[in-house]
Amino acid sequence: MSKKYPVVAVTGSSGAGTTTVKHAFHDIFRRVQVNPVIIEGDSFHRYNRAEMREAIAKAASEGKTISHFGPEGNDFEALERLFRSYGETGHGQLRYYVHDEEEAELRGSAPGTFTPWQDIPSGTDLLFYEGLHGGVKTEDVDVANYVDLLVGVVPVVNLEWIQKIHRDNAQRGYSAEAIVDTILRRMPDYIHHITPQFSRAHINFQRVPLVDTSNPFIARDIPTPDESMVVIRFRDHKLEHFPTLLQMIPGSFMSRANTLVVPGTKMGFAMEIILGPRIEQMLEEKKEALML
């Protein structure tokens, strides 16, 4: 944990709403004039796209599984090393995973590959991570130990599957059978390495649909924000002034002493008014620490 060089991590599987969180943080950074170094979780995959296909096939031939959710498919040691190094010195190394042709033109590397490692520029105010493993912990590594603010973003599991099925079918052309096979292959890693992170998060945002998602494999549409509520759980509810939040967010209510529920359409707004003050406090503490 670092006062001089804070580390902020948003963890959650793709399609979970992490993009909404990322936009909320970017608005906060712009408003309070923060210069962050932005780290993408995919850049810590252990294999490039072609290598991962080979690793999956090899594991399957041996009766094993490998996925981007678990340690076999990721370099957790390098991620822990970056968080620790940045928290201690404000420096470290990063790279980018190139997803498509648009990113290839921007990064100068082929789709499905990584850019070379490079030093983090000097003068950044904080590290902002968005990906799958910002709060991961195994027998060998403890990434969560080096995070000053950990935010979990997760829909209920049926909604997560609906989002994955629709995205993989529409954007990647995968068949329903192939997508289900992927979900099954990743399930052990999801249970052991993704789910536990949300118990370590300082704040969780969980999207809950208000329509029937009982069979996600036949759902025709992804529930929209106005067909959802967002359950926000605070690890330390004493840090929040809930009467103010209830007054500021129309349609919100408390379901437990540490849990605020808001309409799905207010998710981004709720993130900004909840997370903004925490970032401002980090910057104040950073200034004080640097003056010592």
Side-chain angles (χ1 to χ4, degrees):
M1 309 291 278
S2 172
K3 297 290 186 182
K4 293 182 179 179
Y5 310 106
V7 174
V8 177
V10 174
T11 189
S13 56
S14 56
T18 49
T19 301
T20 303
V21 185
K22 185 163 58 176
H23 289 163
F25 268 109
H26 287 183
D27 287 341
I28 294 168
F29 295 156
R30 184 178 62 253
R31 188 171 65 248
V32 299
Q33 298 182 326
V34 173
N35 176 31
V37 55
I38 297 175
I39 304 298
E40 300 172 356
D42 288 355
S43 63
F44 287 88
H45 288 336
R46 194 176 298 277
Y47 306 108
N48 65 31
R49 188 173 294 164
E51 292 170 341
M52 188 62 175
R53 290 195 185 108
E54 293 177 4
I56 291 172
K58 183 176 184 297
S61 70
E62 299 172 350
K64 302 176 182 178
T65 60
I66 182 174
S67 79
H68 282 140
F69 283 171
E72 292 81 8
N74 297 277
D75 192 345
F76 290 164
E77 293 81 4
L79 181 59
E80 181 190 50
R81 189 163 55 247
L82 171 63
F83 282 14
R84 181 176 62 246
S85 173
Y86 188 88
E88 293 173 351
T89 69
H91 296 287
Q93 286 200 315
L94 62 79
R95 67 177 179 180
Y96 298 96
Y97 178 77
V98 181
H99 295 87
D100 50 36
E101 292 292 346
E102 183 178 351
E103 291 187 10
E105 185 174 347
L106 175 65
R107 304 294 184 192
S109 296
T113 66
F114 301 99
T115 64
W117 289 100
Q118 62 190 68
D119 291 333
I120 290 175
S122 298
T124 57
D125 296 315
L126 57 80
L127 183 151
F128 176 70
Y129 168 95
E130 189 266 327
L132 290 170
H133 299 109
V136 77
K137 181 178 180 180
T138 69
E139 293 181 358
D140 302 313
V141 300
D142 187 355
V143 174
N145 183 54
Y146 300 99
V147 179
D148 299 281
L149 175 60
L150 179 60
V151 179
V153 186
V154 54
V156 294
V157 69
N158 278 16
L159 177 55
E160 184 169 351
W161 289 347
I162 291 172
Q163 290 174 312
K164 177 170 179 56
I165 291 167
H166 279 254
R167 184 198 62 198
D168 284 3
N169 178 261
Q171 297 181 10
R172 303 175 182 175
Y174 294 171
S175 67
E177 293 78 10
I179 298 169
V180 171
D181 287 343
T182 299
I183 291 173
L184 292 173
R185 174 173 55 82
R186 301 190 312 180
M187 188 54 65
D189 283 337
Y190 186 90
I191 292 171
H192 294 297
H193 300 292
I194 301 297
T195 303
Q197 296 182 77
F198 303 117
S199 295
R200 304 180 192 117
H202 296 97
I203 304 175
N204 279 331
F205 292 84
Q206 184 176 41
R207 187 174 161 210
V208 180
L210 300 178
V211 294
D212 183 13
T213 61
S214 53
N215 186 348
F217 304 107
I218 64 169
R220 295 185 178 181
D221 301 298
I222 299 174
T224 60
D226 60 359
E227 295 174 325
S228 310
M229 299 294 284
V230 177
V231 177
I232 308 170
R233 192 270 299 172
F234 300 82
R235 191 168 75 183
D236 187 354
H237 65 281
K238 296 178 182 177
L239 296 176
E240 303 300 323
H241 190 258
F242 290 110
T244 299
L245 295 177
L246 291 168
Q247 186 177 21
M248 294 181 69
I249 306 173
S252 61
F253 61 91
M254 301 291 296
S255 61
R256 286 187 176 179
N258 66 344
T259 306
L260 175 70
V261 182
V262 306
T265 54
K266 297 297 182 181
M267 181 174 177
F269 176 64
M271 288 173 177
E272 291 201 34
I273 64 174
I274 291 169
L275 300 172
R278 290 178 178 246
I279 297 300
E280 293 184 44
Q281 182 180 354
M282 282 184 175
L283 294 179
E284 288 299 320
E285 292 175 350
K286 176 184 177 74
K287 291 178 183 178
E288 292 175 3
L290 290 173
M291 290 175 63
L292 296 177

